[in-house]
Amino acid sequence: MISLKDVQDARERIGKIAHVTPVLRSTQLTNICGNQIFLKSEHLQKTGSFKIRGASNKVIHSIEKGAKFVTTASSGNHGQAVSYIANKYGVPATIVVPENVSKCKVNAIQAYNGKVEICGTTSSERLPRAQEIAEQEKGVYIPPYDDPFVMAGQGTLGLEILEQLENVDVIIVPIGGGGLISGILTAVKETNPKIKVIGVEPELANDTFLSLQNKKITAIPATKTIADGLRTSQPGDLTFPVLMRYLDDIVLVSEDEIRQAFRFIMERTKQLIEPSSATTIAAAMFNKLNIQGKNIVSVISGGNVDIHEVQQLIVNTVE
Ligand SMILES: *Cc1c(COP(=O)(O)O)cnc(C)c1O
């Protein structure tokens, strides 16, 4: 398991790369929720999501160890983050993406000089291909979550919350593979164990919820939740033990609740966040937490949403 020291080392390593993102407030959201809500705003982070934290920590460490090339298999925020940081350090990166990848994601990777290779439709095809390329080119494969350096990098977000806000009672974090929340848990629980950390998953991607219930890693079939950063089918071998040890609670939100939260944030706070992040707002808005009168930090994990999909996200939501 990673420790607070690993997160502090990550902070040192990525200090010049990642922004210290702002904490925003919304009075209307606070009134609706009956709790003081703070938005830790990683949609304003470099590359548009927190993924730059873990990717930078892993890529810079690999370069220090002599890597001359990196790959990954994610078409989303992690792929963008890896190509950004590799480009910054002058190291070539190949990102393996699925056949149905959206043009805007390919553009984002290429804008950072990442090379895009198209392979199959499932992650079980892409992942071995990325690992194969890494081997051929004597490079390093950068995992999206199940890696100590990636987890520690994501944990730097937790350290920042502790410095930016006094009297935090609860931190709400979205869960995909669990890299983000395991880093935050390590940073927060090893500094101030009184702060509660609550995870959120879409009902349609409840693999971590089930795994915690069963006390062992449990996979679900492929899912189509609109929260595309949370579609992972099971928690990681390295992330899951951290959740078992430290996580206070996990709650589920419906697709409609995610849409309503997305719309609320856009309409009332003028912030463009992605559906994966709207899950934390949905959890607070729809009282999934059973908490009143507390200081709650919602981790807004990213803001990369294809502009053409925004309308899709707000149609049919209840006024
Ligand atoms: C990757 C991602 C998540 C989930 O993070 P994990 O480390 O996989 O749990 C949540 N939100 C956004 C925007 C992401 O890109």
Side-chain angles (χ1 to χ4, degrees), residues 46-267:
K46 261 182 210 164
T47 72
S49 84
F50 72 91
K51 288 285 200 317
I52 191 66
R53 296 173 182 269
S56 300
N57 195 38
K58 176 72 177 177
V59 169
I60 296 171
H61 169 79
S62 304
I63 292 172
E64 283 165 1
K65 293 265 175 223
K68 303 251 178 306
F69 176 82
V70 293
T71 70
T72 193
S74 148
S75 58
N77 291 338
H78 178 66
Q80 287 187 40
V82 169
S83 42
Y84 173 89
I85 187 67
N87 187 45
K88 182 121 185 143
Y89 276 73
V91 165
T94 295
I95 315 298
V96 183
V97 303
E99 284 160 14
N100 61 353
V101 65
S102 74
K103 189 140 186 303
C104 100
K105 287 185 170 161
V106 168
N107 289 347
I109 293 167
Q110 288 173 339
Y112 301 127
N113 291 321
K115 189 175 155 208
V116 172
E117 180 175 318
I118 292 172
C119 174
T121 51
T122 64
S123 60
S124 55
E125 295 164 273
R126 277 195 306 283
L127 209 142
R129 178 62 191 141
Q131 284 164 334
E132 185 181 77
I133 300 172
E135 217 156 278
Q136 280 166 2
E137 308 278 336
K138 302 210 172 7
V140 176
Y141 168 73
I142 311 294
Y145 52 86
D146 213 21
D147 177 278
F149 286 89
V150 173
M151 291 156 66
Q154 320 302 29
T156 59
L157 197 159
L159 293 182
E160 270 176 40
I161 291 175
L162 298 177
E163 286 168 11
Q164 288 174 305
L165 291 167
E166 285 171 13
N167 305 323
V168 173
D169 297 307
V170 179
I171 302 175
I172 319 177
V173 187
I175 304 180
L180 175 61
I181 198 165
S182 60
I184 291 178
L185 281 166
T186 304
V188 169
K189 292 293 183 177
E190 295 182 13
T191 307
N192 181 353
K194 284 198 212 116
I195 297 176
K196 287 205 164 21
V197 178
I198 299 178
V200 190
E201 282 188 318
E203 287 169 1
L204 292 186
N206 62 348
D207 51 296
T208 298
F209 181 88
L210 294 176
S211 299
L212 288 164
Q213 249 181 7
N214 297 341
K215 298 194 168 59
K216 68 174 200 312
I217 292 176
T218 306
I220 58 164
T223 156
K224 285 224 150 63
T225 173
I226 55 170
D228 57 352
L230 312 182
R231 283 181 191 157
T232 343
S233 59
Q234 61 181 72
D237 293 330
L238 301 180
T239 59
F240 186 61
V242 183
L243 275 72
M244 284 287 282
R245 176 161 177 193
Y246 286 135
L247 190 67
D248 290 290
D249 199 0
I250 181 166
V251 300
L252 299 174
V253 292
S254 71
E255 298 295 292
D256 188 54
E257 288 164 342
I258 299 170
R259 282 201 173 83
Q260 289 191 52
F262 173 85
R263 178 183 180 143
F264 183 93
I265 291 295
M266 190 151 154
E267 227 167 24

